[in-house]
Amino acid sequence: FIVDMSNTLNSTKFGIPYDKKPLTVRGFYKYTPGPEFHRCPDPTKYNETVVETDTKDECAINAILYEITSDDEPYITGIDTYNEEKLTAVAKLEDGSAKTEYTSFSINMNYLKPYDPTKKYRFAIICTSSRYGDTFSGAPESVLFVDDIEVISE
């Protein structure tokens, strides 16, 4: 993969070949948000942020499944990760708040398009300590630990 220094979100390539229909992603996580949330009003100026004293950072644990026509097809990147036109299914952790002890999670895949076992897909599990990191917003020092991830497929 080539790093795109002019657009770092384009450098993140999501997904591995997956030949099953994922139904649920489960595991355990522990999360500590950083003390000070920084909002980036203009993601093209990611070094210019505003501190929001009333905002707490949240973590995110998500999964995506998307169709490809060939192994050479471009990957979904940090730019278009949740573009529903490209996705077949998505799962999102609802509660990304602080957890001092390992907490179990189970997120079900929500199918936006019918799954076809004759087609090719890529699947990704995306874990981040700042839910809004793709807009260069979040709390420095946020820490997310994830353990024992399991994918239940049909």
Side-chain angles (χ1 to χ4, degrees):
F1 295 115
I2 297 172
V3 176
D4 183 348
M5 292 305 291
S6 65
N7 186 348
T8 55
L9 291 176
N10 194 39
S11 296
T12 308
K13 313 293 186 203
F14 290 112
I16 60 168
Y18 203 76
D19 62 357
K20 297 177 181 87
K21 180 181 180 181
L23 302 175
T24 303
V25 177
R26 61 185 180 195
F28 297 87
Y29 74 106
K30 181 168 54 169
Y31 178 64
T32 305
E36 193 172 74
F37 188 88
H38 294 252
R39 173 88 52 205
C40 182
D42 181 355
T44 63
K45 299 176 183 173
Y46 56 86
N47 58 346
E48 297 177 18
T49 63
V50 176
V51 175
E52 293 183 359
T53 55
D54 294 338
T55 304
K56 282 281 187 202
D57 204 359
E58 294 182 32
C59 69
I61 301 172
N62 303 322
I64 59 172
L65 181 75
Y66 63 99
E67 183 183 333
I68 57 172
T69 54
S70 75
D71 293 336
D72 297 330
E73 187 168 323
Y75 286 80
I76 282 182
T77 68
I79 296 169
D80 55 0
T81 311
Y82 301 107
N83 178 339
E84 290 190 1
E85 289 180 20
K86 294 186 175 197
L87 297 178
T88 301
V90 63
K92 293 186 177 187
L93 178 72
E94 294 298 322
D95 179 13
S97 63
K99 304 288 184 249
T100 57
E101 300 296 324
Y102 274 100
T103 303
S104 65
F105 71 89
S106 181
I107 53 176
N108 295 320
M109 300 300 294
N110 174 31
Y111 277 81
L112 308 169
K113 299 174 189 168
Y115 177 83
D116 182 344
T118 65
K119 295 183 177 180
K120 291 182 163 204
Y121 294 92
R122 286 192 187 130
F123 180 67
I125 300 170
I126 305 162
C127 304
T128 178
S129 62
S130 291
R131 178 179 301 265
Y132 305 106
D134 60 343
T135 63
F136 301 102
S137 298
E141 302 176 42
S142 292
V143 178
L144 172 64
F145 292 97
V146 182
D147 199 9
D148 290 334
I149 292 180
E150 179 181 19
V151 179
I152 310 300
S153 297
E154 194 171 74

